[in-house]
Amino acid sequence: MILVTGGTGFLGSELIKQLTDSGLAVRALKRKTSVIPTFIQNNFLIDWIEADINEPATLEDAFVGITKVFHCAAFVSLNPKDKKKLFHVNIDGTSNIVNLCIENGCRLLHVSSVAALGLAKKGQQITEKDFWEYDSKAFAYGLSKYESEMEVWRGITEGLDAVIVNPSIIIGKNAGFEGSGAIFKLIKGGFPYYTNGASGFVDVEDVAKAMLLLMESPVSGERYIISSDNFHYKDLFAAIAAGFGVKPPIKEAKPWMLGLAWRALKFFSIFSSGEPSITKDTANSSLSLSYYSNEKIINATGIQFKPVAQSIQEITQYLK
């Protein structure tokens, strides 16, 4: 049987949909406070289990009869003050999953991130051969994903049958205006600025598809970047604006402007209960030119990625 952690999340729920659409039964983990997305509610092929990846005692029953595990559960934040929680969930939680997979003889597919691959190299695409040069001062989310991936590599040295995927920025209509969907909300509202950065983007349906193909493949002890296209933010914002029929951002947000913005928002957040919309990490990330190669996953699976421009059209039409 198949186990999916983070089953109510953006990626986990899409993965479950594709598994059950193929007629496969799935056991999925959810926390007590989690809300099951409407498009996978009332699905008789899903066995929901309330458990916490940071509480091994709650996981033991979930692993009974399991042969394959998709580890999608993670905490995502680019706010430095969330460092403790990021490490607890992403590193300690992954360690627990790895240990249980070893104990139960399960094959594991771990969802890491391109954030674990290292810094961009000028004029070069980042590949699976790139490993992050450890930096304790690096942004907390990237550090937590790097360390969680190290837990999987540790398991592999102990005999774990595992494969790792490193998705770029995942987009899709079911994100709504949360997570990566916040970009769409921003542009739809007429945000006038763009940054001179770039990154890889990929549709959530393709990430889940690639994961299914890799789980059924004979490969083990490998990692794969899952990314469709590399987009400059200016072009991405323009495509989203066109999809919504609004004016595209035309003003470049300079590094000094972002520096002032995150410092000011951090200061004002001290006097309010809200979180700053821009942090030092998000500002730095938006200025980075990061290009990712998808050659390895295409060669391994033959997957044909949906163009990001098509994904943007589908998402904006849905969110209208």
Side-chain angles (χ1 to χ4, degrees):
M1 191 171 184
I2 300 167
L3 176 67
V4 177
T5 72
T8 61
F10 177 42
L11 175 58
S13 58
E14 174 59 32
L15 176 66
I16 289 173
K17 179 182 182 299
Q18 292 191 23
L19 285 165
T20 56
D21 283 350
S22 299
L24 296 172
V26 177
R27 184 174 297 157
L29 301 187
K30 66 180 290 292
R31 290 174 298 168
K32 190 173 183 179
T33 56
S34 298
V35 177
I36 300 172
T38 55
F39 67 93
I40 55 172
Q41 286 179 1
N42 305 316
N43 189 325
F44 70 92
L45 288 174
I46 307 171
D47 176 23
W48 290 101
I49 301 289
E50 283 190 7
D52 190 323
I53 62 172
N54 287 113
E55 297 178 10
T58 68
L59 295 171
E60 292 180 0
D61 289 343
F63 271 79
V64 175
I66 295 297
T67 57
K68 299 174 182 176
V69 177
F70 290 94
H71 181 37
C72 304
F75 177 57
V76 180
S77 173
L78 291 182
N79 192 329
K81 82 171 194 175
D82 289 327
K83 184 174 182 177
K84 184 176 180 180
K85 183 176 180 180
L86 282 163
F87 278 37
H88 182 53
V89 175
N90 295 347
I91 303 173
D92 298 340
T94 297
S95 180
N96 292 331
I97 295 297
V98 166
N99 292 339
L100 284 164
C101 283
I102 294 172
E103 291 174 19
N104 291 276
C106 303
R107 175 169 166 81
L108 172 67
L109 190 146
H110 171 67
V111 180
S112 183
S113 167
V114 290
L117 292 172
L119 299 175
K121 298 173 179 60
K122 190 172 183 180
Q124 297 180 34
Q125 286 194 333
I126 297 173
T127 74
E128 291 82 356
K129 294 181 180 179
D130 290 302
F131 272 88
W132 199 8
E133 294 181 9
Y134 189 85
D135 179 3
S136 61
K137 295 181 180 179
F139 67 107
Y141 173 69
L143 186 55
S144 75
K145 296 304 288 185
Y146 167 82
E147 293 283 8
S148 64
E149 193 173 310
M150 291 303 103
E151 284 298 316
V152 180
W153 290 114
R154 183 265 301 172
I156 290 171
T157 65
E158 296 176 12
L160 176 66
D161 178 13
V163 64
I164 298 168
V165 294
N166 300 83
S168 57
I169 299 174
I170 306 174
I171 60 176
K173 63 182 183 182
N174 288 321
F177 289 122
E178 301 295 325
S180 62
I183 300 172
F184 289 80
K185 182 178 181 180
L186 202 64
I187 303 305
K188 188 174 186 288
F191 189 69
Y193 293 96
Y194 67 87
T195 58
N196 189 27
S199 188
F201 294 83
V202 63
D203 195 287
V204 66
E205 294 178 5
D206 283 342
V207 180
K209 187 186 302 182
M211 290 166 65
L212 294 176
L213 291 170
L214 287 172
M215 179 62 88
E216 297 308 313
S217 74
V219 300
S220 186
E222 296 281 349
R223 72 203 306 216
Y224 295 87
I225 291 173
I226 313 296
S227 189
S228 175
D229 301 316
N230 294 305
F231 253 78
H232 283 258
Y233 291 118
K234 181 179 181 180
D235 297 331
L236 180 81
F237 291 178
I240 293 173
F244 284 128
V246 299
K247 291 182 179 180
I250 57 173
K251 301 176 183 178
E252 181 182 349
K254 302 290 186 180
W256 66 267
M257 296 169 65
L258 290 170
L260 288 175
W262 74 256
R263 287 178 174 85
L265 289 169
K266 181 180 180 180
F267 174 77
F268 287 119
S269 70
I270 297 173
F271 305 98
S272 68
S273 58
E275 297 289 337
S277 56
I278 300 174
T279 66
K280 181 180 180 181
D281 290 343
T282 56
N284 290 339
S285 178
S286 70
L287 295 169
S288 174
L289 291 168
S290 301
Y291 308 108
Y292 300 96
S293 170
N294 59 14
E295 183 177 349
K296 184 176 180 180
I297 185 64
I298 291 175
N299 289 339
T301 65
I303 188 171
Q304 294 183 335
F305 286 104
K306 181 189 298 185
V308 170
Q310 180 182 337
S311 297
I312 291 172
Q313 287 183 335
E314 294 174 358
I315 295 166
T316 52
Q317 288 300 311
Y318 178 81
L319 293 178
K320 278 182 177 180

